[in-house]
Amino acid sequence: EASVRSVMNQTYGNLEIICVDDGSTDGSLDILHRLAKEDGRITVLAKPNGGAGDTRNYGIEHSDSEWLCFVDSDDAIAPDAFDLLSASFKYNPDMVHFGIEVLSEDGSEVDRKDIRYYNLNYEGLMEITDQMILHVDASSSNKLFRRDIIEKYALRFEKMYFEDYLFSMQYMSVIKNVYYFKDKLYHYLRRSGSIMNETFNGTPRAIDHLRVFEHLIDFVYRNRMQEKHRRLLSKSFVACYSFAIRYTVRDMIPEIVDYATSVYKKYGVLSRRLNRI
């Protein structure tokens, strides 16, 4: 309820609020219907459980807005966020990227690696480069995406872990510019039982880092941008392989090595670039 109300209470009023219940069993759907009676901008959709990516896709397909923002159900957004962000529309950016404040569920000190990862060092309208993409977070929640670009490239969230990383990276690989706001307008609650915490504690799903990378490089190849994004692809490959190895369970290390080797051999741009590093 707090998450939805953070959107309802925005000082910017011209919003379409799509709330998707992903097969919840905890009374969330009742809360959404109650909130919809308070605010006519809310549309409540219910579907069988399909995971975060499937849920965001359902929202995309049932919305009409020019810009899309994905607010997760246990997070919140500052009350003046969309007012501030909409000021960038006059520059006609391809994406609007704003800061994240990470909060721990139990009030404990936030891990420094979270602070570093979500630290945004750019400000204003900038032409996007591989260097910039590699030095910003790939969350899907602290960004405004243009619907026309999403539809032009048939972008959707995949049904796998780290699907927001893949979506954001695919999107950033095809756009020309971004408007950056350093302000931490998105409040991200890091929960003890979250997928991200499970990842950092070791999981057989860590191999999905490489799976999302293969989806990314395949997307870049299909759009014939591999030469433009050689640096992005090589650095991302190394990072995804490193994460997969570091956070997997020991028994899966041989499978990860074999998978990484097959991806490396399949895409020529990797071998040409990595041999120089």
Side-chain angles (χ1 to χ4, degrees):
E1 180 166 351
S3 178
V4 178
R5 286 198 181 279
S6 77
V7 181
M8 293 167 61
N9 295 334
Q10 288 291 305
T11 55
Y12 183 88
N14 186 25
L15 298 175
E16 176 189 33
I17 306 174
I18 307 294
C19 299
V20 184
D21 183 88
D22 185 42
S24 69
T25 58
D26 61 358
S28 291
L29 187 57
D30 292 335
I31 293 173
L32 293 179
H33 284 307
R34 174 165 52 81
L35 295 176
K37 291 178 180 178
E38 296 181 29
D39 194 326
R41 298 171 300 173
I42 294 178
T43 297
V44 178
L45 304 173
K47 57 181 281 298
N49 180 262
D54 187 63
T55 302
R56 294 191 193 105
N57 291 340
Y58 203 71
I60 292 173
E61 290 154 10
H62 288 81
S63 61
D64 297 312
S65 300
E66 179 183 357
W67 290 91
L68 298 176
C69 182
F70 304 99
V71 180
D72 286 344
S73 59
D74 46 5
D75 299 336
I77 192 162
D80 59 349
F82 294 131
D83 244 340
L84 293 171
L85 299 172
S86 65
S88 68
F89 293 169
K90 62 185 177 184
Y91 300 105
N92 196 32
D94 291 333
M95 187 178 81
V96 184
H97 186 160
F98 47 103
I100 282 184
E101 178 186 22
V102 183
L103 305 169
S104 60
E105 186 178 31
D106 60 4
S108 60
E109 185 176 354
V110 175
D111 196 311
R112 289 186 177 274
K113 66 187 177 186
D114 276 338
I115 297 174
R116 287 195 300 271
Y117 179 68
Y118 291 111
N119 188 42
L120 194 55
N121 293 316
Y122 305 111
E123 189 143 34
L125 185 68
M126 301 183 70
E127 183 178 347
I128 197 167
T129 65
D130 279 5
Q131 179 74 2
M132 294 167 69
I133 296 173
L134 290 164
H135 286 86
V136 297
D137 68 86
S139 169
S140 62
S141 297
N142 62 330
K143 298 171 180 65
L144 302 185
F145 300 96
R146 295 188 69 117
R147 171 180 296 281
D148 57 351
I149 293 174
I150 289 175
E151 298 305 341
K152 177 180 179 180
Y153 292 96
L155 288 170
R156 291 295 187 271
F157 291 88
E158 297 291 336
K159 294 181 180 180
M160 59 174 63
Y161 276 18
F162 322 118
E163 77 293 332
D164 56 340
Y165 169 88
L166 175 59
F167 183 91
S168 295
M169 293 291 279
Q170 288 175 325
Y171 188 97
M172 288 189 284
S173 74
V174 297
I175 62 176
K176 296 179 179 179
N177 58 54
V178 180
Y179 199 100
Y180 293 101
F181 279 85
K182 284 187 176 181
D183 306 53
K184 295 182 178 181
L185 303 174
Y186 191 89
H187 307 309
Y188 168 36
L189 182 66
R190 175 57 68 84
R191 298 170 57 218
S192 57
S194 68
I195 289 174
M196 288 304 296
N197 275 357
E198 289 177 9
T199 296
F200 294 137
N201 290 330
T203 171
R205 297 298 297 270
I207 194 172
D208 275 7
H209 283 103
L210 282 172
R211 292 189 175 118
V212 299
F213 174 77
E214 187 171 21
H215 276 73
L216 171 62
I217 194 170
D218 182 63
F219 175 82
V220 171
Y221 263 72
R222 287 200 315 271
N223 288 285
R224 300 179 181 180
M225 295 183 176
Q226 62 268 29
E227 294 303 324
K228 176 182 177 182
H229 290 307
R230 282 185 299 169
R231 179 179 178 81
L232 173 66
L233 294 173
S234 59
K235 293 286 188 179
S236 297
F237 174 69
V238 172
C240 288
Y241 174 69
S242 175
F243 265 88
I245 287 290
R246 187 183 311 167
Y247 297 116
T248 192
V249 292
R250 180 174 295 274
D251 290 348
M252 290 198 64
I253 290 178
E255 181 180 348
I256 289 173
V257 172
D258 288 345
Y259 187 16
T261 302
S262 69
V263 172
Y264 176 81
K265 291 179 178 179
K266 180 178 178 181
Y267 296 96
V269 69
L270 289 178
S271 58
R272 294 201 302 276
R273 181 70 188 180
L274 287 175
N275 287 337
R276 303 175 192 170
I277 297 176

